[in-house]
């Protein structure tokens, strides 16, 4: 199959392209780096010609509220409009577990707007909701740092490795569109503060992580279980400790 991966140069996108290619598909990485810009529509008609599936794992260059909303709505509108004449039969997008519950976050309002456009379009679709990526723990820490202290909510999360996300996205992309949402998550739950503390300690980062139920996560106050997936989520290895060792073995 010809499968166009929008955001195919990114953390998840590059892994999705590799997996699809390993399975014999014509996987095209499309992003501004390769001349495809979904915000201005550049290169879209050309790259979508003959494609059966579009996987959208792009991300907004700015996570600020208005910029993210503008990115996800404009990009998704342009993409869906270009998919119709190209005869694309499956649009897959990656989004975040709990998006609909976390509307205090401007970023997640933008992701919900993206999902709404997909559901309202005539193109058959699949939405994959993933929990937070392991790879993201340092960015979460950086966004919550003041001086030498990181203030984070102790709300529970069940994070997942980007490799596991890419496996699930690639599998879903080559299947029939589900016209619905599936959830994927890692095998363990942590307090958000606990996860970041573990990661920073392992990497030798001296910052102190303090649990603070009032600390905001991308603008939203977190209830204890709001970031957790539902009972039907697919649970995918590895565990966080094993991933830490694999990605940064102690010297
Ligand atoms: N981080 C998490 O914990 C988490 C959890 C669940 C779901 N997600 C979702 O996962 C998705 C992918 O995240 P990621 O961390 O893999 O992203 P990433 O590494 O930041 O990559 C972003 C990609 O988007 C591309 N892009 C940026 N502007 C574009 C444009 N105008 N047109 C086309 N492509 C554009 C970039 O292309 P260039 O390289 O050419 O700039 C890059 O390939 C996001 O939608 C996010 O909401 C994230």
């Amino acid at each position: 199959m010809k499968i166009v991966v929008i955001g195919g140069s990114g953390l998840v996108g590059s892994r999705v392209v590799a997996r699809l290619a390993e399975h014999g598909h014509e996987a095209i990485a499309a992003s501004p780096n390769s001349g495809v810009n979904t915000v201005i529509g550049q290169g879209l008609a050309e790259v979508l010609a003959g494609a059966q599936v579009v996987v959208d794992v792009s991300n907004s260059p700015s996570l600020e509220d208005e910029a993210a909303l503008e990115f996800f709505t404009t990009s998704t509108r342009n993409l869906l409009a270009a998919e119709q004449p190209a005869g694309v039969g499956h649009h897959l997008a990656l989004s975040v577990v709990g998006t609909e519950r976390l509307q205090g976050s401007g970023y997640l309002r933008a992701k919900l707007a993206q999902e709404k456009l997909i559901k309202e379009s005539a193109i058959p679709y699949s939405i994959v909701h993933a929990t937070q990526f392991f790879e993201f723990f340092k960015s979460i820490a950086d966004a919550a740092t003041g001086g030498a202290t990181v203030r984070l909510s102790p709300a529970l999360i069940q994070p997942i490795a980007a490799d596991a996300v890419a496996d699930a996205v690639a599998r879903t992309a080559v299947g029939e569109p589900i016209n619905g949402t599936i959830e994927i998550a890692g095998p363990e739950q942590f307090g958000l503060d606990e996860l970041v503390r573990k990661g920073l300690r392992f990497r030798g980062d001296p910052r102190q992580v303090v649990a603070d139920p009032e600390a905001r996560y991308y603008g939203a106050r977190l209830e204890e279980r709001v970031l957790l997936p539902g009972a039907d989520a697919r649970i995918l290895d590895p565990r966080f400790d094993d991933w830490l060792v694999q990605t940064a073995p102690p010297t």
Side-chain angles (χ1 to χ4, degrees):
M1 282 199 264
K2 177 175 173 182
I3 303 172
V4 175
V5 181
I6 304 291
S9 59
L11 175 69
V12 171
S14 55
R15 290 165 166 79
V16 171
V17 169
R19 275 161 188 68
L20 291 171
E22 277 162 25
H23 286 89
H25 297 289
E26 185 192 352
I28 314 282
S31 78
N33 271 334
S34 59
V36 180
N37 187 324
T38 49
V39 172
I40 56 172
Q42 181 193 18
L44 267 184
E46 294 82 349
V47 78
L48 293 184
Q52 282 110 313
V53 181
V54 168
V55 173
D56 184 4
V57 284
S58 64
N59 206 0
S60 173
S62 162
L63 305 184
E64 185 273 321
D65 293 6
E66 281 308 310
L69 185 64
E70 180 61 26
F71 176 85
F72 281 113
T73 52
T74 307
S75 167
T76 303
R77 272 197 196 99
N78 287 341
L79 202 45
L80 293 167
E83 286 172 17
Q84 223 141 17
V88 170
H90 187 181
H91 179 101
L92 184 155
L94 181 59
S95 191
V96 186
V97 163
T99 291
E100 63 291 348
R101 299 187 292 268
L102 279 158
Q103 291 295 296
S105 157
Y107 181 77
L108 293 174
R109 286 196 294 276
K111 293 298 287 182
L112 192 64
Q114 174 190 21
E115 294 185 24
K116 190 164 177 280
L117 289 167
I118 293 166
K119 290 175 182 172
E120 285 169 0
S121 110
I123 314 270
Y125 70 92
S126 304
I127 294 173
V128 176
H129 268 191
T131 53
Q132 288 64 42
F133 307 160
F134 291 163
E135 284 79 356
F136 211 43
F137 84 80
K138 192 172 167 298
S139 308
I140 295 175
D142 293 348
T145 296
T149 305
V150 184
R151 303 195 86 79
L152 283 170
S153 163
L156 294 171
I157 64 168
Q158 200 169 326
I160 185 170
D163 270 331
V165 174
D167 279 340
V169 167
R171 275 176 212 278
T172 308
V174 299
E176 290 298 315
I178 58 173
N179 294 313
T181 303
I182 59 159
E183 289 189 325
I184 57 173
E188 300 168 291
Q189 293 179 5
F190 302 89
L192 183 55
D193 62 317
E194 182 191 0
L195 175 92
V196 170
R197 194 176 297 114
K198 243 176 189 292
L200 293 182
R201 275 207 194 126
F202 187 85
R203 298 262 164 101
D205 189 316
R207 283 177 285 178
Q208 290 299 311
V209 181
V210 175
D212 176 357
E214 295 305 320
R216 296 299 193 262
Y217 179 74
Y218 289 94
R221 186 185 184 282
L222 299 178
E223 298 299 329
E224 190 189 16
R225 304 186 66 82
V226 75
L227 293 174
L228 294 179
D232 294 336
R234 289 187 203 158
I235 304 304
L236 303 170
D237 281 340
R239 294 155 57 97
F240 186 57
D241 283 345
D242 295 333
W243 175 86
L244 282 172
V245 173
Q246 283 158 18
T247 51
T251 48

